[in-house]
C-alpha cells in the first residue's frame, strides 16, 4: 500500500510540475476567483452514500463542479442518473451549451433513421465545438443527452461568452431562476464554489434548497490517498458552517485529471486551435510502460528486454489510417486473434510483431495495453485462441497492472452478471456463460466444461481475468498481497496451460476475500 501511495504521489507531482510550467501568468481577477474557490474546498470529512443521496434528493438545485477536460468528471452525471436511489431532476443545465444549441440537441435526439441521426450528430458536434472551447469529449455529452431524452429530462444551455467569470455567474443565475422544476447544473468547478454561482442564486431566491458536488480536489485527494479503495468512490462532506451542503467525490487519480488537462493544452497548441485534440497513443503507452517498469523493478527479477528494446513497438489506433491496412496484411489466424481481442477488450497485442492495436483512444486503454504488452514480454507468453487459462492470466495481470496507474478502473463482478443473466436481452446468454466460469478451479484443465462457454469464450476470458485482477488489487491495497509477490507473478515464465491454471488458482486464493462489494451508485 505504501509503495502504491508513493507512486500516485510521484505521478501527480511530475504531471502537475509540467502543467504549471505550461501555464502563463494568470490575470488578477482569475487568481482572486481561484482563491475563493480554494477557500471553499476545506474541512472535508468522510460521509456515507446514504447522506449524499439524501442531500441530493432534497435539493431543488444541485451544482456539479466540472473539470472540463476529464471525461470522468462528466460521466459522474451518468452514474447518478442511472442510480435508482437518486431522484432524477426535471431539468439538466449545462455551461457548455448556449440556449441556441438546445434546438440542435433535440433535432439530433428526435431523428429516427440512422443516416439522418449520424448527419445530425456531426452537425451538432461542429456547432458545439466542445473540444476546442472546453477540451471536453463530445461523445461523453452525447451519452448524457441520450440519458436525459430517455428519462424526459429537459436539456438547457447556460453558456455565456463574457470574459468575466462573475458576469458568467450572473447570466447563469438569470436563467436558472426562471426554471420552475428541480434542476441539476453542470458548470466549471470554480463557478460552483459556494461563494460564487450558488451564493448569487441564493441572493435572488433565499429560500431555495441547494447542494454542491465537487470532484477530485487536489489537496483533499492527497490527504485521503491512503484511504482510497478499488471498491468505491470516496464521499466527503465539508464540515464548514454554511446553508449549502458541499460534497467532494474522489473517484479518479489526480495524475489522470491533470494529464487530461496537459494533453488538451499541448495538442491545442500543436493544432493552433484547429481540429480535435487526441492523445498520442504511442507516447501514452511508453509513459505507462516506463512507470510500470520502475514500480516493478527488482534485481531478483530482471527485465527480459532493455528499455530501448521494450519501447520498440508500433501502435495502431481507431483514427490511424494504417489500422485496416495493417490488419489486412496479417495471416488469417493472427487477424482472427486480434479481432477477437479487440471485440472483447478493446486492446490486442501481437508480441512477436511488436504491434499494439486499440479501438479506444483513451488513457485507460493505453494503461491496459501497456499492462498486456509488459506482462506478455516478462512471462514470455503469447496465448493462442484455444489456450483459455493463459489468456485469462494475461488479462488478469494486465488489468491489475493498469490499476496500479488508475485505481478507479473497475470490473464487473459475479453479482453484476447474476443480474444480467436474469434479464431477457442480448447479454443474457453471454452472462450465463461467464457465470459458468465461477467453477473453473473445480474442473481444471478438462475441456468439457469449456464447451459451454462457446461462442462467448473471449468475453469469459476478459470477465474472469478482470475480476481476478480487480480483487487482487484490492488485496494489494490492504497489504495482503505484497509488491514482491506481485513482481514475482509478473516476471515468472509461463510455459504451459497447467502453469497458467496454477497461477490463476493462486490469484483466486488471494482474491476470494477481496471481491469488491458492488454498489449501484459506485
Amino acid at each position: 500500500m505504501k509503495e502504491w501511495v508513493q507512486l500516485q504521489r510521484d505521478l501527480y507531482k511530475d504531471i502537475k510540475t509540467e502543467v504549471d510550467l505550461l501555464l502563463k501568468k494568470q490575470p488578477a481577477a482569475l487568481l482572486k476567483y481561484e482563491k475563493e474557490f480554494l477557500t471553499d474546498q476545506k474541512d472535508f470529512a468522510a460521509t456515507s452514500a446514504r447522506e449524499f443521496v439524501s442531500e441530493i434528493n432534497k435539493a431543488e438545485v444541485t451544482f456539479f463542479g466540472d473539470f472540463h477536460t476529464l471525461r470522468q468528471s462528466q460521466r459522474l452525471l451518468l452514474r447518478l442518473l442511472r442510480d435508482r436511489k437518486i431522484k432524477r431532476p426535471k431539468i439538466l443545465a449545462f455551461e457548455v451549451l448556449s440556449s441556441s444549441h438546445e434546438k440542435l440537441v433535440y433535432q439530433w435526439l428526435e431523428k429516427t433513421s440512422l443516416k439522418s441521426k449520424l448527419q445530425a450528430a456531426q452537425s451538432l458536434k461542429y456547432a458545439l465545438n466542445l473540444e476546442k472551447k472546453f477540451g471536453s469529449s463530445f461523445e461523453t455529452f452525447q451519452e448524457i443527452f441520450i440519458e436525459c431524452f430517455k428519462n424526459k429530462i429537459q436539456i438547457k444551455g447556460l453558456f455565456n461568452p463574457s470574459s468575466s467569470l462573475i458576469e458568467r455567474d450572473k447570466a447563469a443565475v438569470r436563467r436558472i431562476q426562471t426554471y420552475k422544476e428541480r434542476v441539476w447544473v453542470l458548470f466549471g468547478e470554480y463557478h460552483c464554489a459556494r461563494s460564487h454561482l450558488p451564493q448569487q442564486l441564493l441572493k435572488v431566491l433565499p429560500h431555495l434548497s441547494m447542494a454542491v458536488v465537487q470532484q477530485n480536489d487536489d489537496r483533499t485527494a492527497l490527504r485521503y490517498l491512503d484511504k482510497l479503495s478499488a471498491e468505491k468512490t470516496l464521499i466527503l462532506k465539508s464540515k464548514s458552517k454554511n446553508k449549502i451542503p458541499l460534497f467532494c467525490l474522489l473517484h479518479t487519480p489526480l495524475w489522470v485529471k491533470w494529464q487530461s488537462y496537459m494533453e488538451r493544452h499541448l495538442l491545442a497548441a500543436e493544432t493552433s486551435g484547429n481540429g480535435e485534440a487526441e492523445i498520442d497513443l504511442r507516447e501514452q503507452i511508453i509513459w505507462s510502460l516506463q512507470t510500470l517498469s520502475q514500480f516493478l523493478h527488482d534485481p531478483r527479477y530482471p527485465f527480459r528486454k532493455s528499455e530501448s528494446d521494450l519501447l520498440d513497438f508500433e501502435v495502431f489506433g481507431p483514427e490511424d489510417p494504417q489500422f485496416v491496412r495493417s490488419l489486412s496484411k496479417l495471416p488469417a489466424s493472427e487477424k482472427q486473434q486480434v479481432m477477437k481481442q479487440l471485440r472483447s477488450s478493446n486492446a490486442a497485442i501481437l508480441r512477436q510483431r511488436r504491434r499494439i492495436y486499440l479501438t479506444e483512444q483513451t488513457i485507460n486503454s493505453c494503461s491496459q495495453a501497456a499492462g498486456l504488452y509488459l506482462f506478455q514480454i516478462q512471462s514470455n507468453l503469447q496465448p493462442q485462441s484455444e489456450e483459455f487459462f493463459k489468456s485469462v492470466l494475461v488479462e488478469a495481470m494486465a488489468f491489475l497492472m493498469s490499476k496500479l496507474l488508475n485505481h478507479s478502473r473497475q470490473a464487473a463482478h459475479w453479482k453484476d452478471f447474476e443480474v444480467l443473466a436474469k434479464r431477457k436481452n442480448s447479454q443474457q446468454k453471454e452472462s450465463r456463460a461467464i457465470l459458468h466460469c465461477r467453477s473453473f478451479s473445480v474442473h481444471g484443465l478438462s475441456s468439457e466444461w469449456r464447451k459451454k462457454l462457446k461462442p462467448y469464450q473471449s468475453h469469459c476470458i476478459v470477465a474472469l481475468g478482470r475480476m481476478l485482477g480487480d480483487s487482487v488489487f484490492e488485496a494489494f491495497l490492504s497489504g495482503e498481497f505484497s509488491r514482491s509477490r506481485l513482481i514475482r507473478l509478473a516476471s515468472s515464465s509461463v510455459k504451459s496451460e497447467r502453469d497458467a491454471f496454477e497461477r490463476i488458482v493462486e490469484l483466486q486464493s488471494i482474491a476470494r476475500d477481496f471481491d469488491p462489494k458492488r454498489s449501484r451508485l459506485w
Side-chain angles (χ1 to χ4, degrees):
M1 179 64 169
K2 288 182 180 179
E3 294 98 335
W4 178 80
V5 168
Q6 190 58 50
L7 171 67
Q8 293 297 317
R9 289 185 184 278
D10 291 344
L11 294 178
Y12 166 70
K13 182 179 177 182
D14 292 345
I15 293 291
K16 193 62 167 64
T17 299
E18 291 187 55
V19 168
D20 290 343
L21 289 173
L22 290 173
L23 294 175
K24 299 176 182 177
K25 187 176 180 180
Q26 303 298 321
L30 175 58
L31 292 175
K32 180 177 181 294
Y33 200 78
E34 179 186 46
K35 185 178 179 180
E36 291 166 352
F37 162 77
L38 293 172
T39 300
D40 196 38
Q41 306 302 298
K42 288 182 178 179
D43 301 319
F44 285 109
T47 189
S48 65
R50 179 178 294 179
E51 182 173 7
F52 173 76
V53 170
S54 174
E55 291 287 5
I56 298 300
N57 286 345
K58 283 190 298 185
E60 295 168 272
V61 177
T62 301
F63 292 95
F64 292 89
D66 184 22
F67 194 84
H68 297 306
T69 60
L70 183 66
R71 291 186 183 195
Q72 292 90 328
S73 186
Q74 296 100 44
R75 291 192 67 83
L76 174 68
L77 285 186
L78 283 173
R79 293 196 286 274
L80 296 177
L81 288 171
R82 291 167 179 168
D83 187 86
R84 294 180 181 180
K85 297 186 292 295
I86 301 284
K87 184 180 177 182
R88 295 191 189 102
K90 296 295 183 181
I91 299 170
L92 192 42
F94 300 87
E95 179 190 11
V96 301
L97 292 183
S98 67
S99 55
S100 61
H101 290 145
E102 294 170 13
K103 185 177 179 180
L104 286 174
V105 172
Y106 279 105
Q107 284 177 347
W108 163 65
L109 288 168
E110 289 166 357
K111 296 291 183 185
T112 54
S113 74
L114 178 60
K115 184 178 179 180
S116 62
K117 205 168 187 70
L118 288 173
Q119 289 174 340
Q122 285 302 313
S123 299
L124 179 62
K125 184 175 184 177
Y126 179 79
L128 297 185
N129 203 7
L130 296 177
E131 287 86 358
K132 182 179 178 181
K133 289 182 179 177
F134 294 93
S136 300
S137 162
F138 172 72
E139 288 70 25
T140 302
F141 278 94
Q142 265 189 306
E143 285 190 74
I144 298 172
F145 297 153
I146 290 169
E147 195 69 24
C148 288
F149 191 65
K150 186 172 70 177
N151 291 293
K152 299 180 180 178
I153 298 170
Q154 295 179 59
I155 297 167
K156 298 289 186 180
L158 297 173
F159 177 75
N160 184 279
S162 173
S163 60
S164 166
L165 296 168
I166 295 173
E167 285 304 314
R168 289 185 217 168
D169 288 344
K170 290 178 179 178
V173 166
R174 286 194 292 272
R175 294 217 69 198
I176 296 170
Q177 68 178 334
T178 66
Y179 302 153
K180 303 303 181 185
E181 297 183 279
R182 194 162 169 272
V183 60
W184 287 2
V185 178
L186 183 68
F187 224 90
E189 60 181 9
Y190 282 14
H191 293 277
C192 293
R194 288 175 292 183
S195 58
H196 294 160
L197 213 168
Q199 187 61 43
Q200 292 289 335
L201 184 60
L202 202 59
K203 287 179 181 178
V204 179
L205 301 170
H207 301 295
L208 192 71
S209 60
M210 284 186 268
V212 175
V213 180
Q214 297 282 12
Q215 306 176 60
N216 307 304
D217 174 66
D218 287 23
R219 295 171 303 175
T220 306
L222 289 172
R223 192 164 69 250
Y224 282 89
L225 192 55
D226 60 344
K227 293 182 173 59
L228 282 174
S229 160
E231 290 183 22
K232 60 182 180 180
T233 293
L234 193 56
I235 310 170
L236 307 169
K237 185 179 181 182
S238 176
K239 297 183 292 183
S240 61
K241 293 180 179 179
N242 194 299
K243 181 180 179 180
I244 305 169
L246 167 65
F247 293 91
C248 181
L249 306 187
L250 305 180
H251 55 69
T252 300
L254 290 177
W255 75 263
V256 174
K257 167 185 165 180
W258 286 107
Q259 177 96 347
S260 72
Y261 180 90
M262 187 171 71
E263 290 287 353
R264 191 261 176 169
H265 185 96
L266 290 174
L267 289 165
E270 287 175 8
T271 59
S272 301
N274 299 316
E276 296 176 20
E278 297 285 355
I279 66 172
D280 186 308
L281 295 177
R282 191 171 188 279
E283 283 189 9
Q284 187 63 37
I285 293 173
I286 285 175
W287 179 86
S288 299
L289 282 169
Q290 289 174 328
T291 304
L292 287 171
S293 298
Q294 291 169 11
F295 185 75
L296 298 172
H297 175 71
D298 189 323
R300 294 172 297 173
Y301 302 98
F303 283 95
R304 296 179 183 276
K305 293 182 180 293
S306 65
E307 181 173 308
S308 59
D309 201 20
L310 177 67
L311 303 181
D312 180 18
F313 58 84
E314 294 180 282
V315 181
F316 299 94
E319 304 299 325
D320 191 335
Q322 299 299 317
F323 186 97
V324 175
R325 184 179 299 177
S326 171
L327 278 178
S328 67
K329 291 182 178 180
L330 292 174
S333 60
E334 288 188 359
K335 183 179 178 180
Q336 184 181 27
Q337 181 184 346
V338 169
M339 294 307 295
K340 276 187 177 181
Q341 291 181 59
L342 291 177
R343 279 194 294 268
S344 57
S345 68
N346 302 315
I349 308 293
L350 288 179
R351 179 171 61 86
Q352 300 296 348
R353 293 182 182 272
R354 298 172 182 263
R355 291 184 189 174
I356 298 173
Y357 294 89
L358 297 172
T359 55
E360 286 185 355
Q361 200 142 328
T362 63
I363 290 174
N364 275 344
S365 66
C366 291
S367 299
Q368 178 74 10
L372 284 168
Y373 188 68
L374 182 60
F375 180 66
Q376 287 192 26
I377 287 175
Q378 284 299 90
S379 61
N380 198 27
L381 187 58
Q382 176 79 59
Q384 301 303 310
S385 58
E386 70 277 3
E387 293 178 315
F388 179 80
F389 290 113
K390 284 185 180 180
S391 301
V392 171
L393 180 60
V394 167
E395 192 66 37
M397 294 303 295
F399 196 75
L400 171 58
M401 285 195 273
S402 75
K403 283 179 70 74
L404 292 173
L405 300 173
N406 183 0
H407 67 275
S408 65
R409 297 195 73 195
Q410 291 192 1
H413 281 261
W414 301 121
K415 289 181 180 178
D416 302 292
F417 292 115
E418 285 171 359
V419 171
L420 291 172
K422 294 175 183 176
R423 295 177 182 171
K424 293 182 179 180
N425 56 30
S426 59
Q427 292 181 294
Q428 186 183 55
K429 291 182 179 179
E430 178 187 318
S431 299
R432 288 177 177 175
I434 290 169
L435 289 171
H436 187 63
C437 295
R438 185 181 277 178
S439 58
F440 78 88
S441 59
V442 176
H443 298 286
L445 298 174
S446 168
S447 60
E448 287 301 312
W449 74 277
R450 290 209 302 276
K451 290 180 181 178
K452 295 182 179 180
L453 306 184
K454 294 180 179 180
Y456 305 106
Q457 180 165 303
S458 58
H459 293 90
C460 292
I461 286 167
V462 171
L464 179 57
R466 293 190 177 187
M467 267 187 263
L468 289 170
D470 204 11
S471 297
V472 170
F473 180 76
E474 184 73 1
F476 175 74
L477 286 186
S478 73
E480 294 297 317
F481 179 66
S482 67
R483 176 171 167 269
S484 60
R485 193 175 182 185
L486 167 60
I487 294 171
R488 176 180 64 78
L489 286 172
S491 306
S492 303
S493 292
V494 178
K495 298 177 181 178
S496 66
E497 270 285 90
R498 179 169 291 279
D499 285 349
F501 171 72
E502 291 173 355
R503 198 77 61 84
I504 292 168
V505 170
E506 180 180 354
L507 291 177
Q508 185 193 41
S509 69
I510 299 164
R512 188 175 288 114
D513 295 329
F514 294 92
D515 184 16
K517 297 175 178 62
R518 299 292 291 177
S519 160
R520 290 300 164 204
L521 180 56
W522 318 111

